[in-house]
Amino acid sequence: MSTVVDVKGLSVTFPTDEGVVRAVNDVSFSVREGESVGIVGESGSGKSTVAFALFDSVPSPGQISEGEVRFENGKNLLDMSEEERRRFYWSRISMVFQAAQNTLNPILRIQRQVEDIADAHNVSKKDAIARASELFETMYLHPKRVLSSYPHELSGGMKQRVSIALALLLNPRLVVLDEPTTALDVISQASVLRILDEVRRNTSVSFLFITHDISVISQVVDRVLVMYAGRVVESGPVRKIVTAPTHPYTRGLVASIPPLVGDLSGTKSVMGQPANLMNLPKGCAFYDRCEIRQPRCALEPPSYLPIDDDSAVACHVATGQDQGVNGP
């Protein structure tokens, strides 16, 4: 499969009165054609900042300080002119935002919003409406009713599906979904994720899911990147990440997922508080919360190393970098 997007050495910084915060630190990954990749982490891990960086739209005063984002082995997206970006985004790569239903214009009917997208990208309005109608049917929505409706006339789940359809309107190669089901009830979440999985399997579109809840996307992604304190600390096939996590933070995330039925005694949260990006420890950022930490972990950050053909982890203990030193 060809590579749709290749991210290398991406770093995003935010200047503050107390110093510079590195919200994303040397993040690299790729998404292949037809692949669904998840980026998982708790609040403040940097996962949503990665998504905004792909669109060169990091909220002010943040800035992309290093790295490149190459689309289909072509030009670095971050080097594009404003006009190039305007035409490129949405037609080749699009995004579904958190609580995406709130991004719909409340004073315009859905058809008008479809037509506005067509105008912005020099696409026939007739063709755009036909494509939108097709997508709405795929999303189990009634096209005529939806096109003639204002957003407030649709339920939350319907608006979310409309937002996803609009992101797919121009047949992009990659769709970035930032917490696409956060504002939905459990039933609507399952419905939206099932539809997205159907769309991906029936087309060549690629998805990049951003979420704090690995259980939500575990059935619809192929690979997972786990982020902590701005870095990727583990990556691998989703089945392996969920059933046999290697990094202690990933283990904590998986252990915090309660079962639908049965004994809850094995469920527990990750101890401690997220790392303070203004005052990261000298060694591993997860050191204060880690249950298997070793002396070396406090002294130097672990390298991000492969542990097999399709997995990698940044952990002295997991990769044997601790050289057998006993814990404190």
Side-chain angles (χ1 to χ4, degrees), residues 36-38 40 189-190 193-198 200-201 207 209 211 213-224 238-239 242-243 257 260:
S36 183
V37 175
V40 179
Q189 280 187 3
L193 290 173
R194 185 185 69 254
I195 291 168
L196 285 169
D197 198 39
E198 289 176 0
R200 181 175 68 93
R201 295 184 186 282
F207 287 138
F209 279 90
T211 183
D213 189 346
I214 193 172
S215 65
V216 168
I217 64 165
S218 60
Q219 300 300 313
V220 296
V221 300
D222 303 307
R223 289 189 296 124
V224 173
V238 63
R239 186 177 297 277
V242 171
T243 60
I257 303 172
L260 293 177

Short mmCIF file of all heavy atoms in Angstrom, two decimals, residues 36-38 40 189-190 193-198 200-201 207 209 211 213-224 238-239 242-243 257 260:
data_model
loop_
_atom_site.label_atom_id
_atom_site.label_comp_id
_atom_site.label_asym_id
_atom_site.label_seq_id
_atom_site.Cartn_x
_atom_site.Cartn_y
_atom_site.Cartn_z
N SER A 36 -6.45 2.75 8.83
CA SER A 36 -7.02 3.53 9.91
C SER A 36 -6.06 3.49 11.10
O SER A 36 -5.76 2.41 11.62
CB SER A 36 -8.38 2.98 10.32
OG SER A 36 -8.97 3.76 11.32
N VAL A 37 -5.56 4.64 11.49
CA VAL A 37 -4.57 4.74 12.57
C VAL A 37 -5.16 5.56 13.71
O VAL A 37 -5.82 6.57 13.48
CB VAL A 37 -3.27 5.41 12.06
CG1 VAL A 37 -2.29 5.63 13.22
CG2 VAL A 37 -2.62 4.57 10.98
N GLY A 38 -4.94 5.12 14.93
CA GLY A 38 -5.42 5.84 16.10
C GLY A 38 -4.27 6.46 16.87
O GLY A 38 -3.19 5.87 16.99
N VAL A 40 -3.73 7.83 20.66
CA VAL A 40 -4.41 7.74 21.95
C VAL A 40 -3.57 8.39 23.03
O VAL A 40 -2.33 8.29 23.02
CB VAL A 40 -4.67 6.26 22.32
CG1 VAL A 40 -5.35 6.15 23.67
CG2 VAL A 40 -5.52 5.58 21.25
N GLN A 189 -22.43 6.62 19.40
CA GLN A 189 -21.01 6.37 19.19
C GLN A 189 -20.79 5.11 18.37
O GLN A 189 -20.06 5.11 17.37
CB GLN A 189 -20.30 6.19 20.54
CG GLN A 189 -19.97 7.46 21.28
CD GLN A 189 -19.12 7.19 22.51
OE1 GLN A 189 -18.74 6.05 22.78
NE2 GLN A 189 -18.84 8.22 23.26
N ALA A 190 -21.44 4.04 18.78
CA ALA A 190 -21.27 2.76 18.10
C ALA A 190 -21.74 2.86 16.65
O ALA A 190 -21.11 2.32 15.74
CB ALA A 190 -22.04 1.67 18.84
N LEU A 193 -19.15 4.96 14.53
CA LEU A 193 -17.92 4.20 14.29
C LEU A 193 -18.15 3.06 13.30
O LEU A 193 -17.30 2.78 12.45
CB LEU A 193 -17.38 3.65 15.61
CG LEU A 193 -16.82 4.71 16.58
CD1 LEU A 193 -16.47 4.08 17.91
CD2 LEU A 193 -15.60 5.40 15.98
N ARG A 194 -19.31 2.42 13.39
CA ARG A 194 -19.62 1.34 12.45
C ARG A 194 -19.72 1.88 11.02
O ARG A 194 -19.20 1.28 10.08
CB ARG A 194 -20.93 0.66 12.84
CG ARG A 194 -21.27 -0.55 11.96
CD ARG A 194 -22.61 -1.15 12.27
NE ARG A 194 -23.71 -0.27 11.88
CZ ARG A 194 -24.46 0.43 12.71
NH1 ARG A 194 -24.24 0.35 14.02
NH2 ARG A 194 -25.43 1.19 12.29
N ILE A 195 -20.35 3.03 10.88
CA ILE A 195 -20.49 3.64 9.56
C ILE A 195 -19.13 4.03 9.00
O ILE A 195 -18.83 3.79 7.83
CB ILE A 195 -21.41 4.88 9.65
CG1 ILE A 195 -22.86 4.43 9.93
CG2 ILE A 195 -21.36 5.69 8.36
CD1 ILE A 195 -23.78 5.57 10.31
N LEU A 196 -18.28 4.62 9.84
CA LEU A 196 -16.95 5.01 9.39
C LEU A 196 -16.15 3.79 8.94
O LEU A 196 -15.43 3.84 7.93
CB LEU A 196 -16.21 5.74 10.50
CG LEU A 196 -16.65 7.18 10.77
CD1 LEU A 196 -16.02 7.70 12.06
CD2 LEU A 196 -16.27 8.08 9.60
N ASP A 197 -16.28 2.71 9.67
CA ASP A 197 -15.55 1.50 9.29
C ASP A 197 -16.06 0.96 7.96
O ASP A 197 -15.28 0.49 7.13
CB ASP A 197 -15.71 0.45 10.40
CG ASP A 197 -14.66 -0.65 10.32
OD1 ASP A 197 -13.49 -0.33 10.01
OD2 ASP A 197 -15.00 -1.82 10.54
N GLU A 198 -17.37 1.04 7.75
CA GLU A 198 -17.94 0.60 6.47
C GLU A 198 -17.43 1.46 5.32
O GLU A 198 -17.08 0.96 4.25
CB GLU A 198 -19.47 0.67 6.54
CG GLU A 198 -20.11 -0.39 7.44
CD GLU A 198 -21.61 -0.21 7.55
OE1 GLU A 198 -22.15 0.73 6.92
OE2 GLU A 198 -22.25 -0.99 8.27
N ARG A 200 -14.62 3.15 5.15
CA ARG A 200 -13.21 2.86 4.89
C ARG A 200 -13.03 1.56 4.13
O ARG A 200 -12.21 1.46 3.22
CB ARG A 200 -12.43 2.81 6.21
CG ARG A 200 -10.94 2.55 6.02
CD ARG A 200 -10.21 2.62 7.33
NE ARG A 200 -10.55 1.56 8.23
CZ ARG A 200 -9.88 0.41 8.32
NH1 ARG A 200 -8.84 0.18 7.54
NH2 ARG A 200 -10.23 -0.51 9.20
N ARG A 201 -13.80 0.56 4.50
CA ARG A 201 -13.65 -0.74 3.86
C ARG A 201 -14.19 -0.76 2.43
O ARG A 201 -13.81 -1.60 1.63
CB ARG A 201 -14.34 -1.82 4.71
CG ARG A 201 -13.67 -2.01 6.07
CD ARG A 201 -14.27 -3.14 6.88
NE ARG A 201 -13.69 -3.20 8.21
CZ ARG A 201 -12.50 -3.71 8.49
NH1 ARG A 201 -11.77 -4.22 7.52
NH2 ARG A 201 -12.05 -3.72 9.73
N PHE A 207 -8.02 6.94 7.53
CA PHE A 207 -8.50 7.68 8.70
C PHE A 207 -7.39 7.81 9.73
O PHE A 207 -6.58 6.90 9.92
CB PHE A 207 -9.68 6.96 9.36
CG PHE A 207 -10.97 7.04 8.60
CD1 PHE A 207 -11.78 5.92 8.47
CD2 PHE A 207 -11.38 8.22 8.00
CE1 PHE A 207 -12.97 5.98 7.77
CE2 PHE A 207 -12.57 8.30 7.31
CZ PHE A 207 -13.37 7.16 7.18
N PHE A 209 -7.60 8.66 13.66
CA PHE A 209 -8.47 8.89 14.80
C PHE A 209 -7.67 9.46 15.97
O PHE A 209 -6.63 8.91 16.34
CB PHE A 209 -9.11 7.58 15.27
CG PHE A 209 -10.31 7.14 14.47
CD1 PHE A 209 -10.15 6.32 13.37
CD2 PHE A 209 -11.59 7.54 14.83
CE1 PHE A 209 -11.24 5.89 12.64
CE2 PHE A 209 -12.69 7.12 14.11
CZ PHE A 209 -12.53 6.29 13.01
N THR A 211 -8.10 10.25 19.97
CA THR A 211 -9.03 9.95 21.06
C THR A 211 -8.30 9.75 22.38
O THR A 211 -7.09 9.46 22.40
CB THR A 211 -9.85 8.69 20.74
OG1 THR A 211 -10.81 8.44 21.77
CG2 THR A 211 -8.95 7.48 20.61
N ASP A 213 -9.82 7.61 24.51
CA ASP A 213 -10.43 6.35 24.93
C ASP A 213 -10.12 5.25 23.92
O ASP A 213 -10.76 5.15 22.87
CB ASP A 213 -11.95 6.55 25.06
CG ASP A 213 -12.64 5.35 25.70
OD1 ASP A 213 -12.01 4.28 25.79
OD2 ASP A 213 -13.81 5.48 26.10
N ILE A 214 -9.14 4.44 24.25
CA ILE A 214 -8.72 3.39 23.31
C ILE A 214 -9.82 2.37 23.08
O ILE A 214 -9.91 1.76 22.01
CB ILE A 214 -7.43 2.71 23.84
CG1 ILE A 214 -6.80 1.85 22.73
CG2 ILE A 214 -7.71 1.88 25.08
CD1 ILE A 214 -5.44 1.31 23.10
N SER A 215 -10.72 2.19 24.05
CA SER A 215 -11.79 1.20 23.89
C SER A 215 -12.77 1.62 22.80
O SER A 215 -13.38 0.76 22.15
CB SER A 215 -12.53 1.00 25.21
OG SER A 215 -13.22 2.18 25.60
N VAL A 216 -12.93 2.92 22.59
CA VAL A 216 -13.89 3.41 21.61
C VAL A 216 -13.47 3.04 20.19
O VAL A 216 -14.30 2.67 19.36
CB VAL A 216 -14.06 4.94 21.74
CG1 VAL A 216 -14.83 5.51 20.55
CG2 VAL A 216 -14.77 5.29 23.04
N ILE A 217 -12.19 3.14 19.90
CA ILE A 217 -11.73 2.95 18.52
C ILE A 217 -11.07 1.61 18.27
O ILE A 217 -10.64 1.33 17.15
CB ILE A 217 -10.74 4.06 18.11
CG1 ILE A 217 -9.47 4.00 18.97
CG2 ILE A 217 -11.40 5.43 18.17
CD1 ILE A 217 -8.33 4.81 18.41
N SER A 218 -11.02 0.76 19.29
CA SER A 218 -10.25 -0.48 19.15
C SER A 218 -10.77 -1.39 18.04
O SER A 218 -10.03 -2.22 17.51
CB SER A 218 -10.25 -1.25 20.48
OG SER A 218 -11.57 -1.57 20.88
N GLN A 219 -12.04 -1.23 17.67
CA GLN A 219 -12.61 -2.08 16.62
C GLN A 219 -12.50 -1.48 15.22
O GLN A 219 -12.86 -2.13 14.25
CB GLN A 219 -14.08 -2.36 16.94
CG GLN A 219 -14.33 -3.05 18.26
CD GLN A 219 -13.65 -4.40 18.35
OE1 GLN A 219 -13.74 -5.20 17.42
NE2 GLN A 219 -12.96 -4.66 19.45
N VAL A 220 -12.04 -0.23 15.13
CA VAL A 220 -12.07 0.43 13.81
C VAL A 220 -10.71 0.94 13.34
O VAL A 220 -10.62 1.57 12.30
CB VAL A 220 -13.08 1.61 13.81
CG1 VAL A 220 -14.49 1.10 14.03
CG2 VAL A 220 -12.71 2.67 14.83
N VAL A 221 -9.64 0.69 14.09
CA VAL A 221 -8.31 1.11 13.65
C VAL A 221 -7.42 -0.11 13.45
O VAL A 221 -7.65 -1.17 14.04
CB VAL A 221 -7.64 2.09 14.63
CG1 VAL A 221 -8.49 3.34 14.79
CG2 VAL A 221 -7.37 1.44 15.98
N ASP A 222 -6.41 0.06 12.62
CA ASP A 222 -5.45 -1.01 12.36
C ASP A 222 -4.23 -0.90 13.27
O ASP A 222 -3.73 -1.89 13.78
CB ASP A 222 -4.99 -0.95 10.91
CG ASP A 222 -6.15 -1.04 9.94
OD1 ASP A 222 -6.95 -1.98 10.04
OD2 ASP A 222 -6.26 -0.14 9.07
N ARG A 223 -3.76 0.34 13.45
CA ARG A 223 -2.58 0.58 14.28
C ARG A 223 -2.88 1.69 15.28
O ARG A 223 -3.74 2.54 15.05
CB ARG A 223 -1.37 1.02 13.43
CG ARG A 223 -0.77 -0.08 12.59
CD ARG A 223 0.54 0.37 11.95
NE ARG A 223 0.37 1.47 11.01
CZ ARG A 223 0.99 2.62 11.08
NH1 ARG A 223 1.84 2.88 12.06
NH2 ARG A 223 0.78 3.55 10.15
N VAL A 224 -2.13 1.70 16.37
CA VAL A 224 -2.31 2.69 17.41
C VAL A 224 -0.97 3.32 17.78
O VAL A 224 0.05 2.61 17.90
CB VAL A 224 -2.94 2.08 18.68
CG1 VAL A 224 -2.96 3.08 19.83
CG2 VAL A 224 -4.36 1.60 18.40
N VAL A 238 -3.35 -2.64 16.63
CA VAL A 238 -4.30 -2.39 17.71
C VAL A 238 -4.55 -3.63 18.57
O VAL A 238 -4.66 -3.53 19.79
CB VAL A 238 -5.64 -1.82 17.15
CG1 VAL A 238 -6.33 -2.83 16.24
CG2 VAL A 238 -6.55 -1.40 18.28
N ARG A 239 -4.63 -4.78 17.94
CA ARG A 239 -4.89 -6.00 18.72
C ARG A 239 -3.77 -6.25 19.73
O ARG A 239 -4.03 -6.61 20.89
CB ARG A 239 -5.03 -7.20 17.78
CG ARG A 239 -5.44 -8.49 18.49
CD ARG A 239 -5.63 -9.63 17.50
NE ARG A 239 -6.71 -9.34 16.59
CZ ARG A 239 -7.99 -9.55 16.86
NH1 ARG A 239 -8.33 -10.06 18.02
NH2 ARG A 239 -8.91 -9.29 15.96
N VAL A 242 -3.92 -3.58 22.61
CA VAL A 242 -5.02 -3.79 23.56
C VAL A 242 -4.82 -5.04 24.39
O VAL A 242 -5.12 -5.06 25.59
CB VAL A 242 -6.36 -3.85 22.80
CG1 VAL A 242 -7.50 -4.27 23.73
CG2 VAL A 242 -6.69 -2.49 22.18
N THR A 243 -4.30 -6.10 23.80
CA THR A 243 -4.19 -7.37 24.53
C THR A 243 -2.84 -7.59 25.20
O THR A 243 -2.76 -8.30 26.21
CB THR A 243 -4.45 -8.56 23.58
OG1 THR A 243 -3.48 -8.55 22.52
CG2 THR A 243 -5.85 -8.47 22.97
N ILE A 257 -9.94 0.48 31.38
CA ILE A 257 -11.18 0.23 30.63
C ILE A 257 -12.05 -0.75 31.40
O ILE A 257 -11.67 -1.91 31.60
CB ILE A 257 -10.87 -0.35 29.23
CG1 ILE A 257 -9.95 0.59 28.44
CG2 ILE A 257 -12.17 -0.60 28.47
CD1 ILE A 257 -9.45 -0.01 27.14
N LEU A 260 -17.78 -4.58 30.18
CA LEU A 260 -19.22 -4.34 30.09
C LEU A 260 -19.99 -5.18 31.10
O LEU A 260 -21.02 -4.76 31.63
CB LEU A 260 -19.71 -4.66 28.67
CG LEU A 260 -19.21 -3.72 27.56
CD1 LEU A 260 -19.71 -4.20 26.20
CD2 LEU A 260 -19.65 -2.29 27.82
#
